[in-house]
Amino acid sequence: MSHTPKIYVAGHRGMVGSAIVRHLLVQGQPADRIVTRTHAELDLTNQVAVNQFFSAEKPDQVYLAAAKVGGIHANNTYPAEFIYQNLMMQANIIDAAFRNRVKKLLFLGSSCIYPKLAPQPIQEEALLTGTLEPTNEPYAIAKIAGIKLCESYNRQYGASQGIDYRSVMPTNLYGPGDNYHPENSHVIPALIRRFHEAKNNNALSVTIWGTGTPKREFLYVDDMAAACVHVMNLDKTTYDRHTQPMLSHINVGCGEDITIRQVAETIGKTVGYQGQITFDTSKPDGTLRKLMDSSRLNALGWKAHMGLEAGLHAAYQDFLTKYVNKN
Ligand SMILES: NC(=O)c1ccc[n+]([C@@H]2O[C@H](COP(=O)([O-])OP(=O)(O)OC[C@H]3O[C@@H](n4cnc5c(N)ncnc54)[C@H](OP(=O)(O)O)[C@@H]3O)[C@@H](O)[C@H]2O)c1
């Protein structure tokens, strides 16, 4: 009889964690073999509580999608919380997983692990080759430590205990479960909200900061979840052939970047906004380009499926559900 793995998704109420749970269910994973805990039920920065949870539940696999996440303002204002909480959560989970004989774990990092001036598109090899973006350096250092925790446990215990802990580095994500807060949200949810409000208020124009020419890469969150499950389930021989023990993380992107102007115009169309889109060129543009090289993931047999227009449509429906419910 085949053994259905018991899977713990840490951060299951977050944008990515909830998408991973959705994807596992669609793939036929029984709901009663998915273990979750809310933040209120289990504070992952508490080592004793995390150890007790693992020893009681004994999961077979772990998706580590819990993290303290935020934009530039939050990262700049609370750097101690960002580095401390992320280091603690991942160290507690990875060590408790090892002590409780979890063989497979997937750690979620971020593209901010790469140097500010890394050559584009950014390859996995760019890790630790230069200075990080200062605004989120503490968060990035925690994420780099997460990759190195996985690699170190694999190197010390992989052969003797059969553990196989992997890491994925997503590009910018959007879609259901996103945060639409007016000040603390990422580009796509922020623009969805602004265009929606502009439409409702019959505003003649929406002004976007900068020239609109910087390019960014976006991935729909359900594609991200599918990539996570794909990487988790890859057989070890294939995974090992495409990675190295001390360079094991995998970029997850759609492989294409588009200008902020294109993003804004597509969101305006999706929302049904009829007014003008203008650009305030006196405001800074930020980094001109940020594209990940996802060829390692592509060679491992996965690529993104969701197109931007369809993804934005689904994201807008998600926003409407929340917006209408709240107002
Ligand atoms: N969203 C993106 O664009 C993006 C891009 C690249 C990488 N990522 C990575 O993907 C991962 C998930 O991100 P996300 O966007 O899904 O974040 P999210 O929506 O903020 O979800 C994070 C989850 O972690 C939980 N959590 C935080 N601190 C906790 C604690 N001390 N104990 C227990 N649970 C805790 C949160 O619960 P509470 O809300 O109750 O605290 C929340 O459910 C992160 O590692 C992030 O770096 C995300």
Side-chain angles (χ1 to χ4, degrees):
M1 205 176 82
S2 73
H3 166 68
T4 306
K6 189 177 193 181
I7 301 176
Y8 170 44
V9 180
H12 74 289
R13 296 221 284 204
M15 181 187 182
V16 182
S18 57
I20 290 173
V21 171
R22 276 200 299 281
H23 190 76
L24 289 170
L25 291 171
V26 166
Q27 283 213 319
Q29 174 72 17
D32 63 0
R33 299 293 287 169
I34 301 176
V35 185
T36 57
R37 290 290 185 281
T38 64
H39 190 159
E41 290 165 344
L42 175 63
D43 179 355
L44 294 167
T45 64
N46 179 332
Q47 187 185 27
V48 173
V50 172
N51 282 334
Q52 281 170 349
F53 163 74
F54 270 85
S55 91
E57 287 291 347
K58 298 276 182 209
D60 300 299
Q61 297 182 9
V62 174
Y63 288 89
L64 208 177
K68 180 164 177 68
V69 178
I72 294 175
H73 178 70
N75 268 277
N76 250 338
T77 316
Y78 310 107
E81 290 177 27
F82 274 83
I83 192 163
Y84 173 77
Q85 292 186 22
N86 284 306
L87 283 172
M88 290 300 285
M89 273 188 253
Q90 63 206 32
N92 288 342
I93 291 180
I94 291 168
D95 187 66
F98 163 67
R99 288 179 192 285
N100 288 281
R101 302 181 186 283
V102 174
K103 299 281 189 257
K104 299 178 82 174
L105 177 145
L106 189 79
F107 169 69
L108 277 87
S110 158
S111 59
C112 70
I113 59 160
Y114 292 114
K116 186 178 162 74
L117 301 177
Q120 309 277 326
I122 309 173
Q123 297 184 328
E124 286 86 354
E125 287 77 3
L127 182 64
L128 295 173
T129 57
T131 307
L132 298 164
E133 160 64 42
T135 44
N136 57 16
E137 188 201 62
Y139 177 75
I141 295 276
K143 291 292 186 190
I144 294 169
I147 299 172
K148 294 301 163 190
L149 272 163
C150 292
E151 291 177 351
S152 303
Y153 276 70
N154 287 342
R155 287 169 59 214
Q156 190 169 341
Y157 305 115
S160 62
Q161 319 246 352
I163 64 159
D164 186 0
Y165 295 174
R166 303 176 180 180
S167 306
V168 283
M169 302 302 122
T171 187
N172 303 301
L173 304 173
Y174 73 99
D178 216 336
N179 163 21
Y180 299 97
H181 191 277
E183 281 116 45
N184 298 330
S185 49
H186 293 131
V187 179
I188 286 185
L191 288 180
I192 286 177
R193 188 185 185 107
R194 284 189 61 201
F195 278 110
H196 175 83
E197 290 178 352
K199 180 179 80 169
N200 280 358
N201 298 332
N202 295 316
L204 294 179
S205 72
V206 168
T207 303
I208 315 268
W209 273 29
T211 60
T213 53
K215 293 179 104 179
R216 293 288 181 274
E217 181 185 18
F218 298 99
L219 184 70
Y220 189 66
V221 69
D222 286 71
D223 268 347
M224 177 62 202
C228 287
V229 175
H230 181 84
V231 171
M232 175 74 105
N233 292 333
L234 276 172
D235 68 275
K236 188 160 165 21
T237 312
T238 308
Y239 182 79
D240 287 351
R241 206 176 333 118
H242 290 85
T243 57
Q244 294 160 36
M246 292 178 73
L247 190 67
S248 68
H249 59 289
I250 297 177
N251 289 345
V252 185
C254 69
E256 283 174 28
D257 52 358
I258 60 167
T259 65
I260 296 296
R261 175 186 290 273
Q262 285 172 293
V263 179
E265 287 172 353
T266 314
I267 293 176
K269 204 170 99 190
T270 305
V271 167
Y273 170 70
Q274 308 277 344
Q276 298 285 315
I277 302 174
T278 56
F279 291 88
D280 180 353
T281 54
S282 69
K283 295 289 193 292
D285 263 342
T287 308
L288 279 185
R289 197 170 180 215
K290 204 168 171 201
L291 176 65
M292 306 254 271
D293 183 336
S294 297
S295 48
R296 183 181 265 193
L297 178 64
N298 300 151
L300 286 165
W302 189 89
K303 67 177 174 46
H305 289 284
M306 183 65 104
L308 187 70
E309 285 194 20
L312 287 175
H313 179 75
Y316 184 46
Q317 297 313 307
D318 176 60
F319 167 78
L320 283 178
T321 311
K322 289 180 184 151
Y323 189 88
V324 170
N325 285 348
K326 274 192 186 163
N327 291 281

